[in-house]
Amino acid sequence: MDEALLRSLTPGVLGILVRRGADFAAAEDAVQDALMEAVRTWPADPPRDAKAWLVTVAWRKFLDAQRADAARRRREDLVDDEPPPGLAPAVDDTLQLYFLCAHPSLTPSSAVALTLRAVGGLTTRQIARAYLVPEATVAQRISRAKRTVTHVRLDQPGDVATVLRVLYLVFNEGYTGDVDLAAEAIRLTRQLVAGIDHPEVAGLLALMLLHHARRAARTAPDGRLVPLAEQDRDRWDTAAIAEGVEVLQAALARDRLGEYQAQAAVAALHADAPTAEETDWVQIVEWYDELVRLTDSPVVRLNRAVAVGEADGPRAGLAALALVDPSVPRHAAVAAYLHERDGDLQAAARLYAEAACRAPNLAERDHLTRRAARINTRQRG
């Protein structure tokens, strides 16, 4: 990979995008995305015309971002910043589109990818990050799904499990990512609860409400990310917590446990603790054990390692983390935290810096960078 060539081409590519009508900031983002794709793909498949390739890919990235932003604005017009309590009285066309995109002719993974892209307004990169797969894989799934549904009648809506998965991923991206779709996901899940009597549908609503209740405390006035243990719990939405707990208790009472109910139970235990020190980590570990049994998800195993570290000490947490694939997102951040708690500041600082380089968004990168800098300052002192 000729990095000097990439640097020399960047100003010209940026200028072309601006002349085509892109504002400078958006053009910069698109060019950076194209450069990252070049670094990933050129060693195996170098283009004949490097500049033309960069212009084409950067313009496509710009258009994708514009479409995603337009979809986000349309959905934000439909909802208030905070979703109102109570169940929605009826479904609307948006939820119907979710079901139609989850068509029986599609595999679940293709249906989710298509819905997130076409209805949820997420970019291919955001979907890939949520699924822990390469961006090219997601692009192929979406292309195959589009080809499939072109030749079928969309009068057979898909299954509820696929729609729940899509709503879950839309909420997560809206809650932690660059596109604010969390309130819209809650609105649609309320409609689903009103129309479908199923404990996992209710479990997903409870999970969303309990996480959304903490949203105001997740960032400081200057935009810094505030970890759960350091959040001002007076800023949590107690009404949303109460509603989430009530919905969860009703779902658990039906004795048909699923992954969304189990995740909501973890969130409820965090919400129930008056202080971080009073969190019932032992019970949280037990719920993560249930989640591992239900999903065998590497992300669940990562979160379980954190909980084990809190319940049984950092070395126990590191032992649990050793069983998790290091390529799982935020693995380095968890390792840094556990090493810091265990007193290994040198390893913690190195891992925080490594995690910052891999952070999925600016707020998380800044938070991890600050952690690394703080530890380095302590070591020098």
Side-chain angles (χ1 to χ4, degrees), residues 72-147:
R72 173 185 60 79
R73 288 196 300 270
R74 286 196 301 270
R75 281 159 179 78
E76 285 180 345
D77 288 340
L78 297 175
V79 293
D80 296 324
D81 289 338
E82 296 297 327
L87 300 180
V91 298
D92 66 10
D93 290 343
T94 305
L95 190 57
Q96 183 65 17
L97 284 173
Y98 273 70
F99 273 96
L100 291 176
C101 285
H103 195 271
S105 63
L106 300 175
T107 64
S109 60
S110 294
V112 171
L114 176 64
T115 313
L116 290 172
R117 187 72 185 89
V119 188
L122 303 188
T123 66
T124 304
R125 182 196 302 172
Q126 289 167 326
I127 300 168
R129 189 172 66 207
Y131 257 109
L132 310 182
V133 297
E135 190 173 338
T137 300
V138 173
Q140 291 171 358
R141 288 178 184 174
I142 294 172
S143 296
R144 285 197 300 267
K146 287 179 178 178
R147 288 196 299 269

Side-chain angles (χ1 to χ4, degrees), residues 4 9 11 39 43 66 75 90-91 98 131 138 162 173-174 220 253 322-323 330 347 351 356 359:
L9 293 175
V39 170
Q66 292 296 107
R75 281 159 179 78
V91 298
Y98 273 70
Y131 257 109
V138 173
T162 301
E173 188 60 42
L323 303 176
R330 298 184 174 90
L351 287 163

